[in-house]
Amino acid sequence: MARFQRPRTVAEGVYQHLRRRLLAGELEPGRWLREQELAASLDVSRTPVREAVRQLAQEGLLVIEANRGVRVRGLTLEEAVATYEVRERLESMAAGLAARRVDAAARAALDEQLAAMNAVDPADQAEHVRADDAFHGLVARLSGNPVLQELVERLSERVMRVKVLTRDVNVSAFAREQHARIVAAIGAGDEAAAEAAMREHIRTNLRIVEERLAGAGPGAGGEEA
């Protein structure tokens, strides 16, 4: 029997559209959003826009200020640290499970993804973010744990927001070496080494994020707590 799918409302469509743009960094922190302009650009009434804005404010992506309007919320250091702390636990577990269950097909997929990452132009930040996200998503899939994979995928939107707003794109030789260590440990079936390699990689990225947020003002990705 075919599964029933409830039709998506206009408000839900507006919400998903704005949420994607916010997480991708297309609507920069501090920017003021006008309901009337958003409604006109999306060819909808102001009511679904208002509903979507309210929901996004509840998620912490927008800030509704009385008598002023709606602005895009920046990123706090606390939010970034909390996101990467959870990321470290989930993805190190995924790497360990991937090593435990590795086979020839998994090794080939990892080698292919690693080569694709290394082939990206260092100046292409957007492509680096996508390639890095694909690599970490692959490790989660290779864990063989569907619940863990779902959690990693759901967290990836928050991770993407941190990356975009802080330009956490490490294309150094050391970053490539860290990715290679993760692939080598998983390929060798060394669960402990895979977990450790992924943990160190994410901690390195968090240090980069902390440094960049520490020097950013509210309009540059930082947000006053």
Side-chain angles (χ1 to χ4, degrees):
M1 179 182 295
R3 180 181 299 178
F4 172 75
Q5 292 184 335
R6 186 182 300 277
R8 195 168 69 176
T9 64
V10 174
E12 175 67 13
V14 174
Y15 160 77
Q16 292 292 350
H17 174 77
L18 292 177
R19 190 171 189 272
R20 282 193 297 270
R21 294 192 66 193
L22 287 163
L23 291 171
E26 295 176 9
L27 299 174
E28 64 276 7
R31 176 174 174 177
W32 290 93
L33 304 180
R34 311 298 177 190
E35 285 185 4
Q36 186 171 354
E37 294 176 3
L38 289 173
S41 67
L42 298 173
D43 195 23
V44 298
S45 70
R46 294 178 64 176
T47 299
V49 171
R50 190 173 300 116
E51 292 178 15
V53 165
R54 188 180 302 115
Q55 187 171 352
L56 291 165
Q58 290 174 346
E59 293 182 13
L61 294 175
L62 296 177
V63 177
I64 300 175
E65 297 190 10
N67 302 319
R68 297 193 66 186
V70 179
R71 65 177 173 84
V72 179
R73 181 176 174 270
L75 180 71
T76 65
L77 178 59
E78 291 76 10
E79 180 184 352
V81 170
T83 298
Y84 274 52
E85 283 178 343
V86 176
R87 182 188 183 198
E88 178 188 322
R89 293 299 181 94
L90 293 179
E91 294 199 26
S92 60
M93 181 188 297
L97 290 175
R100 182 190 302 178
R101 295 166 174 155
V102 71
D103 57 18
R107 292 187 185 94
L110 285 167
D111 287 341
E112 181 179 352
Q113 187 60 48
L114 183 63
M117 289 178 65
N118 291 338
V120 175
D121 182 350
D124 192 340
Q125 177 185 340
E127 186 57 34
H128 265 289
V129 170
R130 284 191 290 269
D132 186 67
D133 186 59
F135 173 78
H136 288 274
L138 173 61
V139 173
R141 289 194 298 276
L142 294 178
S143 74
N145 185 314
V147 175
L148 179 57
Q149 180 183 342
E150 179 186 353
L151 292 173
V152 171
E153 289 176 351
R154 290 174 63 182
L155 185 68
S156 69
E157 292 185 336
R158 287 184 175 273
V159 173
M160 183 72 73
R161 181 168 182 261
V162 174
K163 287 181 179 180
V164 170
L165 293 182
T166 63
R167 297 187 179 275
D168 171 24
V169 184
N170 188 354
V171 296
S172 67
F174 182 59
R176 294 189 178 196
E177 181 182 335
Q178 285 188 325
H179 284 127
R181 287 176 185 169
I182 294 169
V183 170
I186 294 175
D190 191 331
E191 187 172 346
E195 288 185 2
M198 182 65 81
R199 186 179 302 113
E200 178 56 31
H201 172 58
I202 293 174
R203 287 180 180 178
T204 297
N205 287 347
L206 176 56
R207 286 193 291 271
I208 294 172
V209 168
E210 288 175 325
E211 290 172 0
R212 292 178 181 174
L213 277 178
E223 175 83 8
E224 294 177 344

